Amino acid sequence: MSMRNALLLVCAGTVGMGAALADDSPGLGQELTAAELAAVDFTIMPDGDGLPAGAGNAVTGRDLYNQNCLGCHGENGTGGVNDVLSGGHGSLAGPRPLKTVGSYWPYATTIFDYLRRAMPFQMPGSLSNDDIYAVTAYLLFVNDIIAEDAEIDAESLPQVRMPNRDNFVWGYTPE
Amino acid sequence: MAEQHQTAVAGNGLLDRRIFLTAGVAGGAALLTAQAGGVEREAWMQMPGAPMSDNGAPSAHEAHVKRLAVSSQPGTTGTGVSRTPLEFLDGLITPSRLHFERHHSGIPAINPDEHRLVIHGMVARPLSFSLEALTRYPMKSRIQFLECSGNSGGLIAPEPLQQSCGVLHGLVAASEWGGVPLSVLLDEAGVKPGAKWIIADGADAAMMSRSVPLAKVMDDAIVALYQNGERLRPGNGYPMRLFLPGWEGNACVKWLRTIKVMDQPAMTKDETSKYSDLNEEGIARLFTFPMGVKSLITSPSHGFTMGPAGLYQVSGIAWSGSGKIRRVEVSADGGGSWADAALDEHVLPKCLTRFRSAWRWDGGPAVIMSRATDDAGNVQPTRSAVLQGRANGAFYHYNGIQAWAVNEAGEVANVYA
């Protein structure tokens, strides 16, 4: 096959043509072991898919928060030099909307997902999964969404119903 | 010849755009002075010039042309923006060194030999690609714009901010982006039935993560390796980034590390908490990907001072995430009347298009503005139409008409008109 035809064929690829294309594509992707895959898969879905083992509550979460987060996000998440993480409930339809984890975020799973990726800002990756569950529980607690002693883990986190959950519409809907 | 086009076609001195098709707009007078005194050599003509060099740099006289308003969140150096200095540029391509940046936790120092792109999730064969492997795939290259969805956010301020065009609107740029169509890599991995989204993650310290519809990815997404003919600059995703023509920059994940094929979006922080559009009823819209039809006059704009009354070029850029620019109109009387601007030769889909109008400024107050229409028929809205129904502070996806007021002193101000 000429390079030109190969190019046309490759570029015309659509879902479902995968098998037919294998011969014409350079096919240089390397297969991965399950362990290799697990090491790079950080995605956590709203239904809890991807959440790791571990657990924590707001009591331990408070200490972790005060040590690792307070300097930038203020006491109880009420805001320091960086984003406000608590409060603002009921403000969204008013003249001064305050978007916080508690007042705005539609899914509790997003808290774990984001903290594991990116926080604490200057040392991401430094907290254990237990610690992240605990800080997640603390942020939910200071937003009056869960009780202080509620255990947060892979089971319970996706079941936490965020107060603003129903106030979102999609600008894009797949066919 | 030129005179026949110097008749006004709209209010307050806008001239026929065909003036650009005829020679000698400015007249020869200014160009003659250097020759008037006979043979002469300027200082730089009296000895051989500087040697060749292995890396180009702009003229030292252009040192002021830099990214603008470089800023980061308090206590951080790498979670913020730097802006394209639109007022100093012409044409449609943005030099890579001036391409705006928006990072969420700095620029990672990636070793390209150790970096891998992993495709997994709802695929028959999870695969890992080295950079070297990707360079062997057939590539596509297109000249297209990239715009941050927060661009022009300052225009929601109740009083117009007196800032330059680039400070206000410089989160947009156009480049030639070259890379491997992501559809080719997904086909190799074998997408499973029922898949509808991909979740793209970056290798930065914040592990930027965005969900993107599979249909868009299969249509025209690329894993970009090249920008303006060279490998991506670190600030634009070296060694590889996702590029989604016409869609908000934040979804074009830089330092691309993993792609997980899924049946639903992941609802990451940067597609829920941020980059979502709240309305005045407290309802927020998620996944507002395409950038709207938009144009700006870049010259003259805030920070310019007009010279004497007379003939001026009004020049700017227009673009649309839906396709090509079909038309740009310019007004010199605050929107009372409009005339078609001339478009430069390259009118490309989802790309900046350069427009130009000829304007005879009479030395008096004037409000100049531009309005773009794309080939899908979308017309750039007014500022008040854009803000209609939005929550206070909702600044993403602002594409309102920009007005600049020129006063008798020739100063140019940002105004709401």
Side-chain angles (χ1 to χ4, degrees), chain A residues 7 10 13-14 18 21 25 27-31 41 45 82-83 93 95 104-105 110 117 167-169 171-172, chain B residues 73-74 125 127-128 137-138 184 187-188 201 205 207 213 260 264 267 269 272-274 276 280 284-286 392:
Chain A
L7 272 173
V10 168
T14 51
L21 279 165
S25 160
L28 300 172
Q30 301 283 309
E31 304 231 0
D41 186 0
M45 303 298 282
N82 299 117
D83 302 43
Y104 192 57
W105 291 28
T110 308
R117 289 171 187 278
N167 292 321
F168 289 87
V169 293
Y172 175 95
Chain B
Q73 286 205 30
R125 291 171 300 280
L127 294 175
S128 161
Y137 282 73
V184 173
D187 284 344
E188 187 175 325
D201 281 13
M207 296 194 64
K260 188 169 191 182
Q264 53 177 307
M267 299 294 181
K269 174 262 210 181
T272 55
S273 172
K274 303 293 194 289
S276 59
E280 61 190 1
R285 193 166 281 272
L286 305 173
N392 184 15

Side-chain angles (χ1 to χ4, degrees), chain B residues 128-148:
Chain B
S128 161
F129 298 88
S130 67
L131 178 61
E132 207 236 319
L134 288 180
T135 59
R136 281 181 51 195
Y137 282 73
M139 293 195 207
K140 275 196 173 176
S141 181
R142 300 193 198 91
I143 305 175
Q144 285 165 327
F145 79 80
L146 182 67
E147 184 179 20
C148 175

Side-chain angles (χ1 to χ4, degrees), chain A residues 3 6-7 10-19 21-22 25-32 37 39-47 49-50 81-83 92-97 99 104-107 109-110 113-114 116-119 121 124 164 166-175, chain B residues 73-74 76 79 104-105 118 120 125-129 133 136-140 181 183-184 187-188 191 196-197 199 201 205-209 213-216 218 247 257-258 260 262 264-270 272-274 276-289 391-392:
Chain A
M3 183 64 179
L7 272 173
V10 168
C11 296
T14 51
V15 189
M17 287 183 67
L21 279 165
S25 160
L28 300 172
Q30 301 283 309
E31 304 231 0
L32 291 116
L37 256 185
V40 294
D41 186 0
F42 276 72
T43 299
I44 290 164
M45 303 298 282
D47 62 6
D49 181 64
V81 289
N82 299 117
D83 302 43
L92 299 182
R96 302 207 143 272
K99 297 189 216 169
Y104 192 57
W105 291 28
Y107 297 99
T109 46
T110 308
D113 178 88
Y114 181 62
R116 184 166 68 156
R117 289 171 187 278
M119 291 293 140
F121 185 83
N164 195 43
D166 291 334
N167 292 321
F168 289 87
V169 293
W170 287 22
Y172 175 95
T173 321
E175 303 83 61
Chain B
Q73 286 205 30
T76 72
T79 174
H104 289 258
S105 193
V118 170
H120 66 125
R125 291 171 300 280
L127 294 175
S128 161
F129 298 88
R136 281 181 51 195
Y137 282 73
M139 293 195 207
K140 275 196 173 176
S183 59
V184 173
D187 284 344
E188 187 175 325
V191 172
K196 288 197 166 76
W197 294 77
I199 290 114
D201 281 13
M207 296 194 64
M208 168 58 66
S209 184
L214 186 62
K216 170 68 174 179
M218 298 314 274
W247 282 23
R257 181 175 190 244
T258 58
K260 188 169 191 182
M262 296 300 278
Q264 53 177 307
M267 299 294 181
T268 66
K269 174 262 210 181
D270 283 296
T272 55
S273 172
K274 303 293 194 289
S276 59
D277 307 325
L278 185 65
N279 75 15
E280 61 190 1
E281 273 142 27
I283 305 295
R285 193 166 281 272
L286 305 173
F287 308 121
T288 50
F289 296 114
N392 184 15

Side-chain angles (χ1 to χ4, degrees), chain B residues 76-331:
Chain B
T76 72
T77 53
T79 174
V81 294
S82 66
R83 295 159 195 268
T84 306
L86 297 172
E87 57 269 38
F88 294 121
L89 305 180
D90 199 287
L92 65 91
I93 302 231
T94 310
S96 301
R97 72 184 179 90
L98 300 176
H99 192 293
F100 76 90
E101 302 166 285
R102 169 74 176 108
H103 312 314
H104 289 258
S105 193
I107 303 169
I110 294 176
N111 177 343
D113 298 333
E114 288 171 22
H115 183 82
R116 294 288 178 274
L117 171 62
V118 170
I119 296 181
H120 66 125
M122 294 173 68
V123 293
R125 291 171 300 280
L127 294 175
S128 161
F129 298 88
S130 67
L131 178 61
E132 207 236 319
L134 288 180
T135 59
R136 281 181 51 195
Y137 282 73
M139 293 195 207
K140 275 196 173 176
S141 181
R142 300 193 198 91
I143 305 175
Q144 285 165 327
F145 79 80
L146 182 67
E147 184 179 20
C148 175
S149 87
N151 194 23
S152 315
L155 273 291
I156 71 164
E159 294 302 320
L161 302 173
Q162 295 313 320
Q163 294 174 332
S164 82
C165 188
V167 174
L168 289 170
H169 302 289
L171 297 179
V172 67
S175 306
E176 182 183 0
W177 296 101
V180 182
L182 185 46
S183 59
V184 173
L185 305 178
L186 287 173
D187 284 344
E188 187 175 325
V191 172
K192 289 186 176 165
K196 288 197 166 76
W197 294 77
I198 65 159
I199 290 114
D201 281 13
D204 54 328
M207 296 194 64
M208 168 58 66
S209 184
R210 283 295 310 255
S211 308
V212 179
L214 186 62
K216 170 68 174 179
V217 170
M218 298 314 274
D219 179 24
D220 62 359
I222 62 168
V223 176
L225 308 178
Y226 289 91
Q227 180 185 1
N228 295 332
E230 63 178 356
R231 286 291 173 87
L232 301 183
R233 298 274 172 118
N236 263 296
Y238 182 84
M240 59 186 74
R241 80 175 301 165
L242 185 59
F243 187 77
L244 307 167
W247 282 23
E248 63 183 22
N250 180 262
C252 301
V253 173
K254 292 182 293 213
W255 314 295
L256 186 62
R257 181 175 190 244
T258 58
I259 286 179
K260 188 169 191 182
V261 180
M262 296 300 278
D263 58 355
Q264 53 177 307
M267 299 294 181
T268 66
K269 174 262 210 181
D270 283 296
E271 60 205 18
T272 55
S273 172
K274 303 293 194 289
Y275 304 96
S276 59
D277 307 325
L278 185 65
N279 75 15
E280 61 190 1
E281 273 142 27
I283 305 295
R285 193 166 281 272
L286 305 173
F287 308 121
T288 50
F289 296 114
M291 297 309 294
V293 61
K294 186 163 172 182
S295 70
L296 305 164
I297 293 170
T298 53
S299 169
S301 58
H302 176 77
F304 286 52
T305 305
M306 308 286 286
L311 187 58
Y312 283 84
Q313 172 186 249
V314 171
S315 164
I317 47 176
W319 66 99
S320 167
S322 304
K324 286 185 186 174
I325 289 299
R326 181 201 288 164
R327 177 183 198 196
V328 180
E329 300 156 284
V330 171
S331 173

